[in-house]
Amino acid sequence: MFPVDESGPGQAPTVGEHAALAVCAGCPVLDRCRVAVLAMPLAYGVAGGLTAAQRREVRAARLDRRARAA
């Protein structure tokens, strides 16, 4: 889903993002969707129960963990 206004890093989700996140929250395949979405370069919108800013944060944390493990 693509809300008109999007939050930035560290910001609370916007009203539109909250509405989209509420739809995702009730999805029976949310976990599988999130795994798939995090593997995609999707830069905008709400997908996998995460805002674009949240997805960037998750990806950055994964890269940081990998760098520390190397």
Side-chain angles (χ1 to χ4, degrees), residues 16-34:
E17 288 173 325
H18 272 294
L21 291 168
V23 172
C24 287
C27 180
V29 296
L30 177 60
D31 292 335
R32 288 183 287 181
C33 178
R34 183 171 292 170

Side-chain angles (χ1 to χ4, degrees), residues 20-70:
L21 291 168
V23 172
C24 287
C27 180
V29 296
L30 177 60
D31 292 335
R32 288 183 287 181
C33 178
R34 183 171 292 170
V35 169
V37 165
L38 288 170
M40 298 177 196
L42 183 61
Y44 302 101
V46 172
L50 299 169
T51 66
Q54 291 168 332
R55 290 191 305 275
R56 285 189 290 274
E57 290 171 7
V58 168
R59 289 183 188 117
R62 285 180 177 179
L63 287 173
D64 186 49
R65 282 193 302 269
R66 288 180 190 154
R68 282 190 264 143

